[in-house]
Amino acid sequence: MSAVIFFIAAIGAVAGAIGVIALRNPFYSVLALVGHLLSLAALFLLLRAEFVAAAQVVVYAGAVMVLYVFVVAYVGDGSQPVGRGGSGLRVAAALFVGALFVELAIAMLGSGLKAIGGDGAPYKAGFGQPAAIGQALLTKFLFPFEVASLLLLVAAVGAVVLARRRRGLTLGDEERDASRFVTARPRFTGTMAEAVGLVHAPQDQRENGAERSAGDGVEPPVPAPAGVRDDEHGGW
Amino acid sequence: MIVVQRAPEPGGAGGFYRAFGETLRGLKTTFGRLVEGPQTYQYPEEKVPVYPRFRGRHRLHRFEDSQLEKCVGCSLCAAACPADCIRVVSAENTPEHRVSAGERYAAVYEINLSRCIFCGYCEVACPFDAITMGHDYEMSDYNRSDLIFTKEMLLAEPLERTPLRTESE
Amino acid sequence: MTAVFAVVGHAEAWWIQIVKSLILFIVGFSLVPVALMMDRKLLGRFQGRYGPNRVGPLGALQPMADIAKLISKEQFRPRTSTGFLFALAPAISVLTASATFAILPFGDVVDIFGAKVGLYGVDVSIGILFAFAFSAISFYGLMLGGWASGSRYSFLGAMRSAAQLISYEVSMGLSLLGVIMTAGTLSLTGIVNAQNGMWYFIPQLVGFVIFMTAAFAETNRPPFDLPEADAELVGGYNTEYGGGRFASYYAAEYFNMVIASGLAVTLFFGGWLLPFGIHPPHWVDPFVVLGKTILVMAFFVWIRATLPRLRYDQLMSLGWKILLPLATLNALVTAIIVVVTHS
């Protein structure tokens, strides 16, 4: 039973990992990564590391990948080809892959192969349960734990600093922003401000105003009365 | 000078308290409706009574004593109808075949109820009170052609009486 | 046979587990029409009307009629949709909802004809984290459905649901820290047993309010039903769905409401425990839990009848600026109190 689950999850993990780099559509790549992470969570379950499995799903599949999905769904729809890096980047990538392969091969040959024949580490009661993990994190690994949380705090503060407005939005700004939406409308075409006599057309305007507005439809410059700002009687 | 009375700024402990209090007030209001019980009519079983002047489906009338039709086929109703939904074809009364009290009678009298807007102008236009607006409002049907009411249908008593509102209601 | 989850209480025979999962499946999916019916009938009463009362006695068969209608409808999808994901997404929603139902405890371990049976699906050591894990996956049900529909309404609804889910998941998790610290265990049966004497909604009132608010948001219930804001988004992520797939989404939605109510009962209202020292026989326990769950569900409906829908920015600032700091503060204060009283 556990062997069956192991192979299903292992195949899922490998297939997901291949899918991430092989699929052309970035959205599918992200989904493949989600499948990969879920398969890893299943493998953790088989190792009786339940807390790690749950954390894997909640943090990676549930939070990190959600943001990936967000970005990809909003920005990239696969219609634009993924840019190819320069030749230098390709060489660096090949070198990096080679180094990673060597490292993994050493780890595999050094310890992994030996473990295949054996029974593996014995299962201790309480292993992988939240209590045991908390115990380990707060006693044996207290320093790395605290350093990691400090690192995350720095990252969070940095994100906030980067994302904040360069300067705060004051009330005046909002008014100015709002005034942008005031439509340009020829004056003396019937607002309440004109009706109640707040805005008066000058004498010379009244004489030829009709033919002008019929001619070009654009309001000739009228000096606004004192106290009434130009954009206050623009009308909404 | 216009003094604008604004609601308190949202946010802060006071805003939270107000929002919470208003939520509780809203909960009380809806719970009151629950206690009150439903206010709805169970329509097909329980019909809403109409007012006496409610304009429902038209009816044609006969004289009580002689059983002659009141309609004389003058087509004034058809002329008055803004929706053009009334069709009248008149014919002469003969001594052997007397249908209405006047000289002529309506050989064909059809109202297309799918066009009628129930304005009641036909009722006003009629010089003999032959057509009136009745109280029936249940007129749905499966075919449009079934909604063309003929003279016989308009003369007949409706199968079900629509309840009338009493004085006190 | 290796159990995938380490069981807290005791190991059960495989056939007991199978029977239990079948029963849970049946009970869970019978609760969905009950929730649906309760939502519609009770909402009607709150609004001074009857609600559905035509199909069957008192309208009790209305959900059956709805389901029969939806399932017998033709399956169709828009030309712009992505077929595979379009079909997969509702299945994810139902799957995650029904998987979460497995951890709701309906009673402690009891003797049934000599066999020791726990009245729950599984009692995992990670407890409530199990529910969070599946709620994290359920996001993909909504998101993929909205994305694969190839429709802007669906996409916007899915985006809203995504933002809403991850925002409120944080507050929900933090609000439960207080409960977990007070109980000293993550196991849900353990949490219920720890509430003997006092239900946690009294000492953890702040946590309870935050949890309920977040639960409303996570289940997309009003006043947080922005993903399916009818007025602006037609139907949200399920706009393009019809027939059986729409029924799946609909069922998952109400299933989530049942589960959220069940979790609230388990974590804050003492599960199967009764107040005033009443100790009924063990076979009553599941009915106590069901009764309490239905009461909490009635509260969901009550809120739906009362509060108007929030604006999107209000939703976000409520989640991040009010609930999250409040939940953190609650966890901190609880931790201090727990440390002081235990030492």
Side-chain angles (χ1 to χ4, degrees):
Chain A
M1 180 71 182
S2 56
V4 173
I5 297 178
F6 169 78
F7 278 108
I8 292 173
I11 291 170
V14 173
I18 291 173
V20 174
I21 51 171
L23 289 169
R24 304 291 297 176
N25 190 333
F27 193 80
Y28 291 139
S29 284
V30 171
L31 290 187
L33 190 52
V34 173
H36 171 73
L37 292 170
L38 292 181
S39 308
L40 280 192
L43 289 178
F44 280 130
L45 274 189
L46 283 177
L47 291 171
R48 300 235 171 169
E50 289 170 0
F51 183 81
V52 180
Q56 174 93 5
V57 174
V58 171
V59 175
Y60 282 98
V64 176
M65 294 319 293
V66 165
L67 293 181
Y68 278 43
V69 169
F70 238 110
V71 171
V72 172
Y74 264 131
V75 179
D77 56 347
S79 59
Q80 289 174 344
V82 181
R84 301 229 165 241
S87 59
L89 206 59
R90 269 194 239 180
V91 171
L95 281 179
F96 192 72
V97 168
L100 200 64
F101 178 75
V102 169
E103 187 189 339
L104 285 177
I106 290 172
M108 192 72 90
L109 295 172
S111 62
L113 283 183
K114 266 188 288 177
I116 287 181
D119 284 338
Y123 172 72
K124 285 180 290 183
F127 169 80
Q129 292 191 358
I133 292 205
Q135 203 86 38
L137 280 182
L138 291 180
T139 54
K140 199 173 165 192
F141 300 108
L142 181 62
F143 184 67
F145 179 67
E146 292 294 338
V147 168
S149 46
L150 193 68
L151 192 68
L152 288 176
L153 183 68
V154 168
V157 171
V160 170
V161 168
L162 284 178
R164 91 194 146 89
R165 287 177 202 276
R166 285 293 169 270
R167 48 181 184 77
L169 192 69
T170 56
L171 264 175
D173 288 346
E174 274 176 16
E175 271 172 17
R176 204 196 52 224
D177 286 347
S179 69
R180 284 196 198 128
F181 297 107
V182 175
T183 43
R185 187 186 59 74
R187 231 171 280 160
F188 306 111
T189 46
T191 58
M192 282 306 289
E194 292 149 17
V196 297
L198 273 176
V199 185
H200 295 289
Q203 284 298 323
D204 57 330
Q205 288 292 306
R206 284 188 191 155
E207 288 161 11
N208 54 4
E211 58 176 83
R212 271 216 207 181
S213 59
D216 50 15
V218 177
E219 164 59 21
V222 178
V228 181
R229 250 174 49 212
D230 210 33
D231 52 0
E232 271 181 26
H233 50 84
W236 279 74
Chain B
M1 190 65 195
I2 301 163
V3 180
V4 180
Q5 287 196 333
R6 287 183 193 282
E9 280 287 309
F16 182 76
Y17 174 76
R18 273 191 301 276
F20 198 68
E22 288 301 300
T23 305
L24 288 185
R25 207 159 66 92
L27 287 173
K28 190 176 135 238
T29 309
T30 41
F31 195 75
R33 299 291 84 72
L34 179 74
V35 174
E36 238 172 46
Q39 309 285 321
T40 48
Y41 284 94
Q42 291 295 294
Y43 163 61
E45 294 93 32
E46 192 185 345
K47 293 194 174 73
V48 183
V50 297
Y51 286 99
R53 290 177 59 183
F54 179 83
R55 296 198 300 266
R57 177 173 71 74
H58 315 72
R59 298 187 52 191
L60 287 177
H61 295 278
R62 297 173 193 271
F63 286 107
E64 290 285 322
D65 43 0
S66 60
Q67 287 300 310
L68 287 174
E69 287 170 18
K70 286 184 177 174
C71 178
V72 296
C74 66
S75 298
L76 278 176
C77 48
C81 182
D84 197 15
C85 68
I86 305 180
R87 174 167 168 258
V88 185
V89 176
S90 54
E92 293 284 335
N93 277 319
T94 54
E96 302 88 58
H97 183 68
R98 172 158 288 277
V99 179
S100 77
E103 264 178 44
R104 286 142 69 87
Y105 72 99
V108 176
Y109 195 102
E110 283 177 358
I111 297 183
N112 186 349
L113 283 178
S114 60
R115 296 191 67 163
C116 177
I117 57 170
F118 299 95
C119 60
Y121 284 4
C122 46
E123 188 181 16
V124 177
C126 186
F128 293 100
D129 285 346
I131 183 166
T132 56
M133 304 298 275
H135 295 141
D136 303 336
Y137 52 83
E138 292 167 315
M139 279 165 288
S140 51
D141 220 317
Y142 289 100
N143 293 311
R144 286 185 195 182
S145 52
D146 292 346
L147 280 169
I148 299 174
F149 273 54
T150 58
K151 193 172 79 171
E152 290 71 36
M153 294 157 83
L154 291 167
L155 278 167
E157 277 292 309
L159 288 175
E160 269 183 77
R161 298 302 295 253
T162 308
L164 261 185
R165 220 171 263 259
T166 56
E167 281 292 312
S168 56
E169 274 178 305
Chain C
M1 180 169 143
T2 322
V4 176
F5 285 104
V7 176
V8 172
H10 64 290
E12 288 160 338
W14 61 272
W15 60 270
I16 294 184
Q17 293 191 348
I18 288 177
V19 169
K20 270 201 322 195
S21 37
L22 278 179
I23 291 175
L24 271 182
F25 199 76
I26 292 166
V27 168
F29 274 93
S30 325
L31 276 175
V32 170
V34 171
L36 207 159
M37 206 53 217
M38 219 176 88
D39 192 24
R40 294 181 64 180
K41 295 273 304 184
L42 205 55
L43 188 63
R45 294 283 169 161
F46 277 123
Q47 293 170 347
R49 57 190 174 86
Y50 285 97
N53 61 352
R54 293 282 151 187
V55 189
L58 294 172
L61 294 179
Q62 181 72 43
M64 299 298 125
D66 286 349
I67 290 168
K69 181 200 85 172
L70 282 172
I71 288 185
S72 61
K73 276 184 145 181
E74 184 192 359
Q75 296 280 358
F76 62 89
R77 63 183 182 85
R79 199 180 302 132
T80 47
S81 64
T82 315
F84 170 62
L85 293 178
F86 190 75
L88 181 71
I92 296 179
S93 277
V94 175
L95 181 95
T96 50
S98 41
T100 317
F101 195 66
I103 59 163
L104 284 188
F106 286 92
D108 213 340
V109 179
V110 293
D111 268 319
I112 298 179
F113 305 123
K116 279 197 165 298
V117 177
L119 298 179
Y120 41 74
V122 280
D123 190 10
V124 286
S125 65
I126 48 173
I128 190 71
L129 282 177
F130 184 94
F132 281 125
F134 275 101
S135 121
I137 299 175
S138 78
F139 154 79
Y140 291 98
L142 312 184
M143 180 67 214
L144 291 185
W147 188 82
S149 294
S151 148
R152 279 178 179 75
Y153 290 122
S154 305
F155 182 69
L156 284 176
M159 280 305 175
R160 283 187 178 186
S161 75
Q164 188 170 322
L165 198 76
I166 52 176
S167 307
Y168 279 83
E169 184 126 324
V170 182
S171 315
M172 196 184 217
L174 279 174
S175 72
L176 293 184
L177 271 186
V179 169
I180 291 162
M181 282 188 288
T182 319
T185 174
L186 272 169
S187 148
L188 288 177
T189 43
I191 289 175
V192 172
N193 279 326
Q195 293 180 63
N196 212 342
M198 188 192 277
W199 295 353
Y200 278 157
F201 84 96
I202 300 167
Q204 287 292 326
L205 186 64
V206 179
F208 172 66
V209 171
I210 297 167
F211 175 82
M212 282 313 275
T213 315
F216 279 110
E218 289 228 354
T219 49
N220 295 339
R221 295 279 303 174
F224 303 108
D225 57 341
L226 286 152
E228 44 202 292
D230 325 63
E232 53 213 60
L233 284 179
V234 190
Y237 57 86
N238 56 24
T239 302
E240 303 295 341
Y241 280 89
R245 288 171 187 160
F246 177 76
S248 314
Y249 266 135
Y250 213 59
E253 205 180 308
Y254 280 96
F255 213 154
N256 279 328
M257 183 174 124
V258 172
I259 288 162
S261 313
L263 280 180
V265 166
T266 308
L267 296 165
F268 293 101
F269 292 107
W272 60 83
L273 301 174
L274 283 173
F276 314 120
I278 305 169
H279 290 291
H282 280 304
W283 60 267
V284 184
D285 291 348
F287 299 102
V288 172
V289 175
L290 280 180
K292 285 182 183 176
T293 307
I294 283 175
L295 281 182
V296 177
M297 269 151 56
F299 181 69
F300 268 74
V301 181
W302 192 5
I303 287 285
R304 178 181 177 184
T306 305
L307 292 181
R309 184 182 300 134
L310 264 72
R311 215 169 54 210
Y312 191 67
D313 60 324
Q314 292 170 335
L315 175 92
M316 280 297 149
S317 53
L318 176 70
W320 289 107
K321 291 184 185 166
I322 297 176
L323 291 189
L324 187 62
L326 212 58
T328 318
L329 199 67
N330 180 46
L332 187 70
V333 171
T334 314
I336 292 170
I337 290 173
V338 166
V339 168
V340 167
T341 50
H342 279 235
S343 57

